[in-house]
Amino acid sequence: EGTTTDSRSHDNQTGNIIGSGIFVSPKGVMENASSVGVALIVWIVTGVITAIGALCYAELGVTIPKSGGDYSYVKDIFGGLAGFLRLWIAVLVIYPTNQAVIALTFSNYVLQPLFPTCFPPENGLRLLAAVCLLLLTWVNCSSVRWATRVQDIFTAGKLLALALIIIMGIVQICKGEYYWLEPANAFEPFQDYDVGLIALAFLQGSFAYGGWNFLNYVTEELVDPYVNLPRAIFISIPLVTFVYVFANIAYVTAMSPPELLASNAVAVTFGEKLLGVMSWIMPISVALSTFGGVNGSLFTSSRLFFAGAREGHLPSLLAMIHVKRCTPIPALLFTCLSTLLMLCTSDMYTLINYVGFINYLFYGVTVAGQIVLRFKQPNIHRPIKVSLIWPVIYLIFWAFLLIFSLYSEPVVCGIGLAIMLTGVPVYFLGVYWDNKPQCFDAFVDVVKKNCFNVYYGHFFSICLKENMLLKKNSTKCL
């Protein structure tokens, strides 16, 4: 009962892609694209590139049928160090930064209606985001059942908000409000075009498509992955691309580019212009969505911790769970602490560039691994085999994106690379070095015994099954 059925795979994939990104990325995409027309092209091309990447991942997912996604693929193809660096950067950068962006989006949409003529204070944004993180960490530490119920309840928020945005956009077009969609106006730049900025626009857009490789993290739990993995890709990614493009079309039927760029909560501004006295629906819907997004990210991050600890790439402490509550308290506390550190800045768009660059770096490494595997093991069984033209196209786009992003944001991207490289000595000291001093092992044992009343993987697997019984046919589990 802990598997994902074919009828649910694409639903889970769609639900994991559509998140808070669509409520924060439109401003970042527009700001860097320099015109409405180029911004819409960025959204479409990002969807196409995401679909190509997902096809490459589908082949890897059924060729190396392990949960853990690109971490498992990179480790098996390029070796332990490459896999560890992928895990290291996910633990230190990707998960914490994603959660920080979603929490800041939540606080923006809660506070923006209270400050209609100006931006909310930065300290207030950070404080509310921290409260959101601490509250949801407590919920996830306390009970698996509570965490899953929070996720179910708050998922409805994003669906309501997006449905309202698209419907109101269609109404606006029917009224003739499509000035910024006419070709002559759509490609009129409000600043000079710059290839480096357009690369950053793609990074901002890719944040909204995050989650497209979710099913690769749960391959072992899919029913008939050879059929359901590509089916989920063919259904979910075109659907998400359609929703994102039409949501952005709707935004520009009600707002000019300067108005959109002047707002830190574009859906709130959109609602104020079109919904009148019912405009309160929009910030509440987005706040519910982002609150659930933080919960979902905290809830699912423990899967990667467990996969890494199983391979010996993370301390077993982080893969432990509370013996009575069946929750991965050490992993959740570590994730919460690292996310709080990311809240040192309230600039969501810098954080998105930061995490987007690192994500794309390893997406490209993983897709390159697909080509390497074709030559290293040409006779391995591949239930799904895509043409090599697709990974080549992906890698060409990948190279363009990384080179020009690094050119445009050398400090932000450079910090991400530096943090990744700190994992090299950690790998050799903590993983590769087998004959550690007894005092080191004794210290770790004392911490385990005195700090956490937990058991090892046996109890983890038991509680995993119990959680899946609570959430039949759902992949949103530990």
Side-chain angles (χ1 to χ4, degrees), residues 212-365:
W212 58 267
N213 58 344
F214 169 75
L215 289 180
N216 290 83
Y217 282 86
V218 293
T219 304
E220 294 174 52
E221 299 168 29
L222 286 174
V223 173
D224 196 4
Y226 309 147
V227 174
N228 292 322
L229 197 54
R231 178 183 294 170
I233 292 166
F234 292 138
I235 295 175
S236 62
I237 294 180
L239 176 61
V240 170
T241 304
F242 172 85
V243 169
Y244 283 3
V245 171
F246 272 81
N248 281 274
I249 288 173
Y251 286 142
V252 297
T253 62
M255 293 179 282
S256 66
E259 288 176 317
L260 192 150
L261 295 176
S263 174
N264 263 2
V266 291
V268 169
T269 306
F270 179 85
E272 289 172 349
K273 284 183 168 291
L274 298 184
L275 295 178
V277 295
M278 300 298 291
S279 61
W280 56 269
I281 294 176
M282 196 60 69
I284 290 178
S285 297
V286 179
L288 292 176
S289 167
T290 49
F291 191 79
V294 175
N295 179 75
S297 183
L298 286 168
F299 189 63
T300 57
S301 62
S302 58
R303 182 186 299 277
L304 189 60
F305 286 123
F306 179 70
R310 182 175 62 182
E311 298 291 341
H313 283 176
L314 284 179
S316 58
L317 186 68
L318 292 179
M320 291 181 177
I321 64 164
H322 194 278
V323 66
K324 293 181 180 179
R325 296 174 180 173
C326 298
T327 54
I329 294 177
L332 286 163
L333 293 178
F334 179 83
T335 305
C336 178
L337 179 62
S338 54
T339 304
L340 290 173
L341 291 175
M342 292 293 177
L343 293 178
C344 291
T345 176
S346 60
D347 186 349
M348 293 181 292
Y349 303 100
T350 297
L351 288 174
I352 290 173
N353 288 338
Y354 179 52
V355 73
F357 178 82
I358 294 299
N359 256 333
Y360 254 101
L361 175 63
F362 274 98
Y363 291 159
V365 170

Side-chain angles (χ1 to χ4, degrees), residues 23 107 110 132 202 207 322 324 354 374 383 390 415 424 439 441 451:
F23 303 117
S107 56
V110 170
C132 170
F202 279 109
F207 178 78
H322 194 278
K324 293 181 180 179
Y354 179 52
R374 287 281 186 96
W390 299 119
I415 289 173
V424 175
C439 59
D441 293 330
C451 294

Side-chain angles (χ1 to χ4, degrees), residues 148-157 288:
T148 56
R149 285 181 176 175
V150 166
Q151 191 65 17
D152 287 343
I153 293 169
F154 287 90
T155 295
L288 292 176

Side-chain angles (χ1 to χ4, degrees), residues 13-54:
Q13 182 89 333
T14 304
N16 276 278
I17 298 174
I18 297 178
S20 63
I22 187 57
F23 303 117
V24 64
S25 292
K27 177 179 176 178
V29 172
M30 183 72 74
E31 185 175 27
N32 291 295
S34 303
S35 72
V36 172
V38 173
L40 293 176
I41 290 172
V42 165
W43 283 106
I44 295 169
V45 172
T46 305
V48 172
I49 293 296
T50 299
I52 293 173

Side-chain angles (χ1 to χ4, degrees), residues 95-242:
Y95 274 109
T97 307
N98 273 331
Q99 286 156 195
V101 170
I102 300 171
L104 286 168
T105 306
F106 166 79
S107 56
N108 257 300
Y109 274 88
V110 170
L111 294 179
Q112 188 63 58
L114 304 179
F115 296 87
T117 59
C118 62
F119 292 145
E122 289 195 6
N123 288 338
L125 291 172
R126 288 198 288 261
L127 180 60
L128 185 57
V131 169
C132 170
L133 281 164
L134 291 170
L135 175 61
L136 287 172
T137 300
W138 174 76
V139 169
N140 278 269
C141 287
S142 298
S143 171
V144 171
R145 187 190 297 269
W146 291 2
T148 56
R149 285 181 176 175
V150 166
Q151 191 65 17
D152 287 343
I153 293 169
F154 287 90
T155 295
K158 65 185 174 188
L159 302 178
L160 174 61
L162 283 171
L164 276 173
I165 290 169
I166 292 173
I167 290 170
M168 294 304 298
I170 293 171
V171 170
Q172 284 287 96
I173 291 174
C174 292
K175 289 181 178 180
E177 300 289 342
Y178 47 78
Y179 175 83
W180 291 105
L181 298 176
E182 296 175 351
N185 303 315
F187 291 94
E188 181 182 343
F190 49 82
Q191 63 183 8
D192 292 337
Y193 288 119
D194 182 88
V195 68
L197 291 178
I198 291 175
L200 293 181
F202 279 109
L203 283 187
Q204 295 284 330
S206 69
F207 178 78
Y209 284 91
W212 58 267
N213 58 344
F214 169 75
L215 289 180
N216 290 83
Y217 282 86
V218 293
T219 304
E220 294 174 52
E221 299 168 29
L222 286 174
V223 173
D224 196 4
Y226 309 147
V227 174
N228 292 322
L229 197 54
R231 178 183 294 170
I233 292 166
F234 292 138
I235 295 175
S236 62
I237 294 180
L239 176 61
V240 170
T241 304
F242 172 85

